[in-house]
Amino acid sequence: MFENPSDIQPEKINLEQLKPKRETIKKVPIDDHYSENKELLIMLRNLSKTYKTKGGLVEALTDTNLVIYKGDILYIMGPSGSGKTTLLRLISGLELASKGEIFILEENFSKWDDTKRAIFRRDNMGIVAQHGNLNPFLTISENLILKKIYQGNKLTDTIEQNQSILNLFVDLQIKERFQAYPLEISGGELQRASLAIAINESPKILLLDEPTANLDSDLAKHVVNLIFEKCKTLGLTALISTHDLNILKEGVRLIELSDGQIIKNSYIAKA
Ligand SMILES: Nc1ncnc2c1ncn2[C@@H]1O[C@H](COP(=O)(O)OP(=O)(O)OP(=O)(O)O)[C@@H](O)[C@H]1O
Ligand SMILES: [Mg+2]
């Protein structure tokens, strides 16, 4: 018979101790003043997306109208299946809308052909996809230089010689893993590697689909601070889908989707 050891008993804690402390957020509907002195970057007009599946039609996004200004940090929230990923994929041009239009920098993005959209995406967007978007046959460091190669640039220095990339990888705590393949690293490391690659060249538009979903809360906050710093110092615009209320900050915009429709469009006022 085994003795019941008393030294490895689970410790009793209260559920309240585990719950994140929620900051009280004052939400204010977007009003005329919000757009004052702001430059329009992205506009969605009556945007809808219906997927055709074997089981029938799935309406993922319905008649969506949204205006995004240069420098906005916009959180997209809403339950699973509400259309967050669909919205980001439509804006990236990786998915085509069934109806409606997307204007980016006053150009009708939805009318462009695939090649023009792909070039625009390559040169202006940094993307973190929900289920990963790195090439699994290339190492993290090779994935990092892929964009440069597609742009036809000659690589003059190795990653080891590029201090700003090294700093970013150190900051995101993945420097030790950059010779690894995407499938050899953990989910959280993969997310940080994808983010480093997405923000490395400071693209005008960051489309980040649940970029902190696999991170513990301290690392998630650190990652979000880094995104904020990049956006604020370089005037980048970020669209971030998330379920995590803890990464919200004052001054950002927040839209909420429900069944493919925007049910809330607000910004978090400074206290
Ligand atoms: N490629 C697809 N083919 C068919 N249906 C799809 C496809 N992608 C998404 N959907 C459906 O569209 C709806 C919206 O999905 P979407 O992935 O945009 O939701 P989400 O808000 O990102 O959810 P989650 O929080 O789980 O990531 C869901 O009903 C989903 O099943
Ligand atoms: Mg999603």
Side-chain angles (χ1 to χ4, degrees):
M1 254 321 243
F2 286 122
E3 288 270 322
N4 187 358
S6 58
D7 57 338
I8 52 169
Q9 290 298 303
E11 181 197 356
K12 182 177 166 188
I13 59 165
N14 189 313
L15 189 58
E16 283 304 310
Q17 282 173 254
L18 291 176
K19 285 191 183 156
K21 284 195 197 82
R22 283 196 188 156
E23 284 151 35
T24 355
I25 296 169
K26 200 168 99 199
K27 290 182 200 141
V28 189
I30 296 279
D31 55 31
D32 292 345
H33 300 299
Y34 182 83
S35 57
E36 263 171 25
N37 303 322
K38 289 203 166 74
E39 194 183 319
L40 207 151
L41 181 70
I42 301 171
M43 183 163 69
L44 314 182
R45 297 302 297 263
N46 307 108
L47 202 67
S48 296
K49 176 70 184 175
T50 306
Y51 291 104
K52 291 190 182 85
T53 69
K54 278 188 186 157
L57 299 178
V58 179
E59 198 165 326
L61 211 61
T62 312
D63 218 9
T64 302
N65 289 293
L66 183 68
V67 174
I68 299 162
Y69 300 96
K70 184 172 177 288
D72 272 355
I73 296 175
L74 179 120
Y75 284 94
I76 305 166
M77 300 195 84
S80 178
S82 58
K84 303 181 294 296
T85 296
T86 304
L87 182 66
L88 288 172
R89 284 179 63 78
L90 290 175
I91 294 173
S92 71
L94 288 166
E95 200 85 66
L96 291 182
S98 314
K99 267 197 287 182
E101 289 169 315
I102 301 174
F103 295 86
I104 302 185
L105 292 168
E106 295 183 26
E107 294 250 22
N108 195 334
F109 187 65
S110 25
K111 290 249 159 46
W112 291 356
D113 63 24
D114 286 348
T115 312
K116 199 168 170 195
R117 260 199 307 271
I119 292 171
F120 184 86
R121 184 165 53 242
R122 182 195 70 192
D123 296 342
N124 297 285
M125 293 178 177
I127 298 175
V128 173
Q130 186 169 10
H131 302 295
N133 50 329
L134 300 190
N135 184 321
F137 302 108
L138 300 177
T139 64
I140 301 303
S141 62
E142 288 165 346
N143 267 285
L144 183 88
I145 55 178
L146 215 48
K147 210 180 229 190
K148 270 198 175 333
I149 292 172
Y150 287 148
Q151 282 166 334
N153 290 322
K154 277 214 173 103
L155 302 173
T156 46
D157 50 2
T158 63
I159 289 175
E160 284 78 0
Q161 290 164 330
N162 189 322
Q163 202 53 47
S164 71
I165 293 175
L166 281 185
N167 290 346
L168 190 57
F169 273 76
V170 169
D171 198 11
L172 288 167
Q173 300 169 31
I174 36 159
K175 181 173 167 280
E176 311 310 322
R177 307 297 286 133
F178 74 45
Q179 297 304 353
Y181 289 89
L183 293 175
E184 292 176 336
I185 60 178
S186 77
E189 286 170 337
L190 182 62
Q191 229 160 17
R192 269 134 54 214
S194 311
L195 184 72
I197 291 170
I199 64 179
N200 172 40
E201 288 183 3
S202 310
K204 284 196 190 85
I205 303 169
L206 292 170
L207 302 174
L208 312 175
D209 200 352
E210 305 205 23
T212 60
N214 294 319
L215 308 181
D216 58 72
S217 61
D218 284 347
L219 205 45
K221 278 189 183 149
H222 181 67
V223 161
V224 166
N225 286 340
L226 188 78
I227 298 169
F228 268 61
E229 202 186 292
K230 270 259 178 195
C231 288
K232 294 286 171 210
T233 50
L234 300 169
L236 312 182
T237 303
L239 277 64
I240 308 169
S241 92
T242 186
H243 289 276
D244 185 2
L245 277 171
N246 285 311
I247 64 168
L248 299 187
K249 278 170 170 274
E250 284 179 357
V252 302
R253 284 184 62 183
L254 176 63
I255 63 165
E256 200 174 325
L257 287 168
S258 173
D259 287 333
Q261 288 180 304
I262 296 178
I263 54 162
K264 202 177 280 173
N265 180 6
S266 44
Y267 69 93
I268 302 174
K270 297 215 166 74

